[in-house]
């Protein structure tokens, strides 16, 4: 990267017509993130680590001196998208070059980790490849990239979190009243279909002290809801503030005491790590929202076994029962994979059966995608694409009505909503229900950041529409400090 070029900015001109005059100004970074919430969290932290280097975030890719694609490797389509996107970014880089502007292209995230050097070979416009555990080294890597392509996909011994600059209060406010906070990373479970243990490395929990400090900072700047993130977040076992080993339940109980914190959530959980204290937390902690994403993947014991999930369909159903007993209004959501190698019609029927029995509030379903390097890729009995598509449609027919019924059941009820942003139309504000449904109401923007009582009057397939219960006013504990 050439600093002299980077400091030259065009004024009020589209890329095609950019000519002099040039002015000196801050460098701009554009980050596009794919995949899971953890990638979204990482994207924000990459911007944070580069802010002290003089990079301001821009939403306009054409205006960026540094473009970061923060990639996902979970399914083939996600990984392929990176290369098509890189083709477009290369053209942008060339167009900027033609008007004397240098652009640095970085590939981060799980494709960077999995394919590393291959990316540099396939797309010469890429200057830098950085894995999910080494992006705290971005400032140094950018300096090196001035002299040729750089790659860092180490799993370093140092903790990246210790080397990340904190966002300013202003930056936190810009990002909104809800935030993600990574507390656990990596996975030791090695489900037969999944790349995560290879792209994110071994399981590792952050010490509670650091998590609490980050949560306090966020809450102090106006964040009202935090979602704790981890590939297996409920396997969290970090060093507690008192030096003991803390579980996720211990951590949640502590975070509920942080001033200004109205709501807590966590994701994603593995059924086998859903311990008693965490189930109890759902009964005992008012700040812990009654929504749980608990992927099951399949309802067939044979397939669950082949997937290395280490639990049966009956285990899952028993767990659901225990969770519902502790917190009767809890909404459950899940992930399913259809067409795992060897999945027969009978196996799939068991999946439909489980979905019917549980009655999920929302569901994510995926066609099995064979991933290089995972045990699933070597299985002989791959299921034909048409069969996968047909099963996906049948599963959808079972779970879609469940989701709609769950939304419809709220019409006529009064629920608490955390307002997050302006709504679709002027005069509206939008927020989320405790069960993560988007809610729209007519209301003033200064209610953003408040938890308030809303009477639901209507629902569409994806959103709820309601009226502010002015007579109740915003609930006391929910008011923004
Ligand atoms: N850590 C989380 C999920 C990680 S990936 C967990 O353990 O639940 C999110 C979802 O993507 C998975 O739950 C699974 O349903 C899906 N998935 C992962 N690998 C896949 C693959 N190879 N093909 C299709 N879907 C996949
Ligand atoms: Fe992947 Fe399984 Fe680990 Fe989840 S638990 S990240 S699905 S290997
Ligand atoms: Fe994708 Fe990596 Fe997340 S593979 S789902 S971005 S952990």
């Amino acid at each position: 990267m050439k600093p002299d070029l980077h400091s030259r900015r065009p004024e009020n001109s589209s890329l095609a017509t950019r000519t002099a005059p040039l002015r000196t100004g801050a460098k701009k970074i554009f980050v596009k993130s794919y995949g899971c919430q953890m990638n979204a969290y990482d994207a924000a932290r990459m911007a944070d680590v580069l802010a002290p280097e003089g990079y301001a975030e821009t939403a306009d890719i054409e205006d960026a001196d540094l473009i970061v694609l923060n990639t996902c490797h979970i399914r083939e389509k996600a990984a392929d998208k990176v290369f098509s996107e890189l083709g477009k970014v290369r053209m942008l880089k060339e167009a900027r070059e033609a008007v004397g502007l240098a652009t640095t292209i970085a590939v981060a995230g799980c494709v960077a980790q999995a394919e590393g050097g291959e990316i540099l070979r396939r797309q010469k416009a890429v200057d830098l490849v950085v894995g999910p555990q080494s992006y705290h080294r971005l400032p140094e890597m950018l300096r090196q990239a001035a002299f040729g392509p750089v790659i860092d996909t180490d799993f370093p011994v140092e903790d990246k979190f210790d080397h990340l600059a904190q966002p300013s209060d202003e930056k936190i406010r810009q990002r909104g009243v809800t935030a993600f906070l990574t507390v656990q990373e990596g996975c030791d479970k090695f489900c037969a279909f999944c790349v995560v243990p290879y792209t994110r490395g071994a399981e590792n929990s952050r010490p509670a002290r650091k998590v609490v400090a980050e949560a306090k900072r966020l809450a102090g700047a106006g964040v009202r809801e935090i979602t704790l993130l981890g590939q297996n977040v409920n396997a969290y076992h970090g060093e507690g503030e008192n030096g003991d080993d803390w579980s996720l339940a211990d951590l949640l109980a502590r975070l509920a005491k942080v001033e200004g914190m109205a709501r807590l959530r966590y994701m994603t959980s593995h059924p086998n790590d859903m311990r008693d204290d965490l189930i109890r937390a759902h009964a005992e902690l008012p700040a812990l929202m009654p929504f749980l994403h608990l992927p099951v993947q399949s309802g067939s014991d044979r397939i669950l076994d082949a997937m290395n999930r280490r639990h049966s369909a009956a285990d899952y159903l028993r767990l659901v029962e225990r969770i519902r007993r502790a917190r009767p209004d809890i909404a459950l959501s899940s992930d399913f994979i259809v067409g795992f190698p060897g999945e027969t019609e009978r196996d799939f029927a068991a999946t439909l059966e489980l979905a019917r029995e549980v009655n999920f509030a929302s569901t994510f379903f995926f066609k099995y995608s064979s991933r290089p390097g995972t045990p699933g890729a070597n299985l002989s009995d791959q299921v034909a694409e048409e069969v996968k598509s047909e099963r996906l449609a049948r599963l959808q027919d079972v779970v879609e009505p469940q989701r709609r019924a769950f939304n419809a059941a709220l019409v006529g009820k009064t629920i608490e909503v955390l307002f997050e942003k302006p709504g679709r139309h002027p005069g509206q504000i939008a927020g989320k229900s405790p069960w993560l449904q988007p809610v729209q109401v007519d209301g003033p923007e200064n209610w953003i950041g408040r938890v308030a009582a809303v009477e639901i009057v209507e629902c569409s397939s994806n959103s709820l529409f309601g009226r502010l219960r002015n007579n109740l006013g915003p609930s006391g504990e929910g008011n923004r400090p």
Side-chain angles (χ1 to χ4, degrees):
M1 182 176 36
K2 299 186 185 72
D4 55 329
L5 280 180
H6 266 277
S7 59
R8 299 159 90 198
R9 309 289 322 150
E11 216 157 51
N12 299 330
S13 56
S14 77
L15 194 63
T17 58
R18 259 169 203 170
T19 49
L22 297 170
R23 67 182 162 82
T24 305
K27 293 171 281 186
K28 300 239 174 91
I29 173 176
F30 174 92
V31 190
K32 183 160 183 183
S33 207
Y34 305 82
C36 61
Q37 287 83 353
M38 194 160 294
N39 250 17
Y41 174 87
D42 289 342
R45 301 312 306 266
M46 283 181 218
D48 293 341
V49 85
L50 289 171
E53 302 284 315
Y55 282 91
E57 281 179 81
T58 174
D60 176 6
I61 190 169
E62 293 192 358
D63 203 24
D65 306 274
L66 169 61
I67 298 173
V68 182
L69 298 185
N70 193 27
T71 61
C72 172
H73 200 240
I74 201 83
R75 285 169 288 274
E76 197 178 351
K77 261 198 195 132
D80 285 350
K81 212 185 297 174
V82 177
F83 288 100
S84 63
E85 197 67 24
L86 278 175
K88 289 186 215 152
V89 170
R90 190 199 69 202
M91 291 198 307
L92 193 59
K93 180 174 179 159
E94 287 167 359
R96 280 173 52 94
E97 228 157 46
V99 292
L101 294 166
T103 316
T104 305
I105 299 179
V107 180
C110 291
V111 178
Q113 188 65 43
E115 307 209 357
E118 180 62 20
I119 298 172
L120 292 177
R121 269 188 296 280
R122 271 180 70 179
Q123 182 47 270
K124 301 284 180 224
V126 174
D127 301 283
L128 186 162
V129 173
V130 62
Q133 305 304 352
S134 38
Y135 63 78
H136 56 292
R137 295 176 177 169
L138 268 171
E140 180 51 33
M141 291 180 74
L142 279 172
R143 280 185 273 280
Q144 289 170 5
F147 307 102
V150 199
I151 177 164
D152 187 344
T153 51
D154 283 355
F155 289 127
V157 282
E158 79 267 16
D159 181 355
K160 70 172 177 240
F161 295 106
D162 291 341
H163 299 268
L164 294 174
Q166 292 298 331
S168 63
D169 283 4
E170 176 56 29
K171 188 86 239 171
I172 295 171
R173 270 191 284 276
Q174 274 170 21
R175 287 177 184 161
V177 297
T178 63
F180 293 132
L181 203 177
T182 294
V183 301
Q184 181 274 341
E185 281 212 88
C187 180
D188 297 339
K189 294 223 162 36
F190 292 92
C191 300
F193 50 81
C194 186
V195 294
V196 170
Y198 312 97
T199 62
R200 293 273 169 168
E203 237 176 73
N204 180 35
S205 297
R206 294 177 70 189
R209 181 174 47 81
K210 293 185 187 170
V211 174
V212 172
E214 199 170 322
K216 280 184 175 166
R217 240 195 112 79
L218 291 169
V223 167
R224 309 304 320 281
E225 171 182 303
I226 289 182
T227 302
L228 304 184
L229 297 180
Q231 263 87 21
N232 269 296
V233 72
N234 58 343
Y236 177 90
H237 56 94
E239 188 192 339
E241 284 179 318
N242 55 2
D244 290 353
D245 210 24
W246 275 14
S247 65
L248 186 65
D250 298 326
L251 185 64
L252 285 163
R254 172 66 187 89
L255 291 174
K257 293 189 191 129
V258 169
E259 204 184 320
M261 187 74 63
R263 292 180 161 188
L264 291 168
R265 304 179 185 276
Y266 60 93
M267 72 182 307
T268 296
S269 298
H270 191 287
N272 290 358
D273 292 315
M274 210 61 219
R275 298 214 313 258
D276 286 345
D277 62 341
L278 187 54
I279 295 177
R280 235 183 2 259
H282 278 282
E284 292 170 358
L285 276 185
L288 183 55
M289 290 294 101
F291 182 94
L292 178 61
H293 183 62
L294 196 61
V296 63
Q297 318 295 358
S298 168
S300 153
D301 288 347
R302 221 174 56 82
I303 295 299
L304 285 169
D305 195 44
M307 285 176 162
N308 193 31
R309 291 292 290 182
R310 297 166 195 259
H311 65 77
S312 66
D315 292 335
Y316 187 86
L317 293 172
R318 267 193 299 273
L319 177 60
V320 164
E321 203 183 299
R322 279 168 53 219
I323 296 166
R324 283 183 168 153
R325 220 179 298 135
R327 180 80 205 228
D329 70 336
I330 201 160
L332 293 171
S333 93
S334 200
D335 292 343
F336 287 91
I337 294 177
V338 302
F340 186 77
E343 186 188 73
T344 62
E345 185 52 36
R346 202 165 154 188
D347 294 315
F348 180 64
T351 296
L352 292 179
E353 170 90 26
L354 181 136
R356 277 194 203 99
E357 194 155 343
V358 175
N359 193 9
F360 291 102
S362 78
T363 314
F364 299 86
F365 28 81
F366 310 101
K367 288 193 258 186
Y368 171 71
S369 167
S370 175
R371 308 305 293 128
T374 62
N378 301 325
L379 297 173
S380 52
D381 260 355
Q382 301 286 330
V383 174
E385 275 309 300
E386 314 82 76
V387 177
K388 289 182 198 168
S389 303
E390 187 256 346
R391 288 182 186 163
L392 198 75
R394 280 159 67 201
L395 178 58
Q396 189 165 4
D397 286 345
V398 170
V399 294
E400 242 329 90
Q402 296 179 344
R403 193 177 65 80
R404 284 168 186 264
F406 181 76
N407 288 349
L410 285 172
V411 174
K413 301 234 163 68
T414 294
I415 64 172
E416 292 213 315
V417 173
L418 168 60
F419 290 106
E420 297 176 4
K421 56 184 183 192
R424 281 181 214 154
H425 305 293
Q428 286 190 331
I429 47 176
K432 294 270 166 56
S433 78
W435 306 279
L436 227 47
Q437 297 134 303
V439 183
Q440 303 265 340
V441 303
D442 288 334
E445 280 197 16
N446 64 0
W447 279 46
I448 291 171
R450 290 183 183 183
V451 178
V454 170
E455 184 187 346
I456 302 301
V457 290
E458 206 188 319
C459 78
S460 70
S461 74
N462 292 311
S463 295
L464 303 175
F465 302 89
R467 265 198 287 276
L468 283 174
R469 293 284 301 263
N470 283 323
N471 50 335
L472 297 180
S475 59
E477 50 77 38
N479 285 344
R480 197 167 190 164

